[in-house]
Amino acid sequence: MERRKARVPRGVSNASPIFVDRTEGALVTDVDGNTFLDFAGAIGTMNAGHRPPAVVKALHEQVDRFLHTSFHVAMYESYVALAEKLAELTPGNFEKKAMFLNSGAEAVENAIKIARRYTGRPAVVSFTRGFHGRTLMGMSLTSKVKPYKYQMGPFAPMVYQAPYPYVYRRPAGMSEEEYTDSVIAQFKEFFSAEVSPEEVAAVIFEPVQGEGGFIVPPKRFVDAVKEFCAQHRIVFIADEIQTGFGRTGRWFASEHFGLEPDLITVSKSLAAGLPISGVVGRAEIMDAAEPGQLGGTYGGSPLGCAAALGVIETMQRENLVQKAEALGRQLKDRFTRWYERYPLIGDVRGLGAMVAVELVRDRQTREPAKDETARVIQGSVQRGVLLMGAGLYSDVIRILCPLVTTPEQLDEGLDVMEEALAEVSGAVSTQQAR
């Protein structure tokens, strides 16, 4: 840790004060011999678990053949095979093509480039509380100022942020239906007040907001956005970097809403931790760019492609998409019981195994419990469960455990979390009494 402090900048944050020695399935063991249940999943990259055997085997085989040639110089079959697989798995009954890059932010950047090239339009619309990466375009699209954007500007021009529904924090006395109507009306008004739809190349949309706090939008709102994009020939991009690959109990969260996005960005759990990302979408849109306008030296590396094909094999063989539904039911059942027991729990929400709790100091005012959330996470890590927070107010605890986590492991981890929650809740109750 002293060596890390001396040579790694403080802007590179760490969620837990441990150094890893080895991993397996849902477990992480540190250099001191402590074993942790992983409920953070390397920020959602471990849906197929740590070191899935099919991925390890594929990587060994690839290392023995060649490491890198750059697809732009000398092609390899695994790149094409992965493009074929993703064309099959992603929603949409139309011809698709795929390209590969290194990171989620790069996928987002290239999806925007493709949409601009296809439409000939300059503007891009994202949503409040959305997160799309830490590059210049990624930050421009991202809504949360601190820590992602603070004093990092100026940002990319002609990027606008439209309202995104947050049902839990709707105005008091307003029904969910009334609130949905209101946000749809605001969305349409946005295109009169902020930017003309004729100038908009793309709308980029998280089917469930990840860093924003696992916020699930009403289906009616999603339908309205997609219909508006179709009406005005705007490319609809689904950012499935955190929601994809089974996390929500579907291969892609878009499927919950009956969506067939024009373009989909993928990364994170695509390759069990190997750095690779992709843009998948309608062939005519993907083909809009000229040769040389897309790509990168390491994009779609042989190791990344091999790992991704191993992940898909693992997920299909072990029925991990279906297992995500079962994990989600177990999580929601437990969190609902916590809601009845601990006033700190303000909301329980999510799709499939993408489940979170939002902590508040007062259920009536919904005042965010930012400090208490940090203490519950810290207390859980100290007891052996790796966790991460989320949300615009940093008051959400999100679960991103590998989908290979057993029901027994999940219960054990939730027991640990409840110990930390009970401790913090007791301290809050005592403080309020005083």
Side-chain angles (χ1 to χ4, degrees), residues 266-283:
V266 294
S267 189
K268 288 193 181 288
S269 281
L270 171 61
L274 270 288
I276 187 172
S277 65
V279 184
V280 192
R282 292 182 183 272

Side-chain angles (χ1 to χ4, degrees), residues 210-222:
E211 305 301 314
F214 282 23
I215 300 169
V216 184
K219 184 178 185 301
R220 222 157 37 82
F221 174 79
V222 178

Side-chain angles (χ1 to χ4, degrees), residues 171-192:
M174 184 179 283
S175 71
E176 185 172 334
E177 286 297 308
E178 292 170 334
Y179 176 66
T180 302
D181 288 338
S182 172
V183 181
I184 291 172
Q186 290 173 41
F187 175 77
K188 292 178 179 177
E189 183 180 353
F190 170 89
F191 287 92
S192 297

Side-chain angles (χ1 to χ4, degrees), residues 26-72:
L27 301 176
V28 171
T29 302
D30 72 7
V31 293
D32 297 317
N34 303 302
T35 298
F36 297 79
L37 279 165
D38 188 1
F39 281 15
I43 322 180
T45 65
M46 293 296 158
N47 288 0
H50 289 279
R51 300 195 310 116
V55 173
V56 173
K57 180 175 182 289
L59 287 172
H60 279 296
E61 290 174 354
Q62 183 60 57
V63 166
D64 287 340
R65 294 173 61 223
F66 61 93
L67 292 178
H68 188 61
T69 63
S70 183
F71 193 72
H72 303 296

Side-chain angles (χ1 to χ4, degrees), residues 285-337:
I285 299 177
M286 294 292 293
D287 272 339
E290 297 294 331
Q293 288 190 314
L294 304 176
T297 302
Y298 293 105
S301 75
L303 291 172
C305 290
L309 291 167
V311 162
I312 293 169
E313 176 192 334
T314 298
M315 294 190 69
Q316 291 176 328
R317 187 183 63 252
E318 299 186 14
N319 297 316
L320 293 186
V321 176
Q322 291 76 19
K323 286 183 180 179
E325 286 279 12
L327 288 172
R329 287 192 296 271
Q330 191 176 347
L331 283 164
K332 281 190 174 179
D333 177 67
R334 189 67 172 272
F335 288 166
T336 300
R337 281 185 273 153

Side-chain angles (χ1 to χ4, degrees), residues 16 43 56 67 86 122 127 131 186 192 200 202 212 230 257 259 275 288 294 299 313 334 338 380 396 404 408 412 424:
S16 55
I43 322 180
V56 173
L67 292 178
L86 289 178
F127 290 87
F131 178 85
Q186 290 173 41
S192 297
V200 177
F257 303 95
L259 281 177
L294 304 176
E313 176 192 334
R334 189 67 172 272
W338 289 2
S380 297
V396 175
V404 298
E408 294 77 18
E412 182 182 357
V424 173

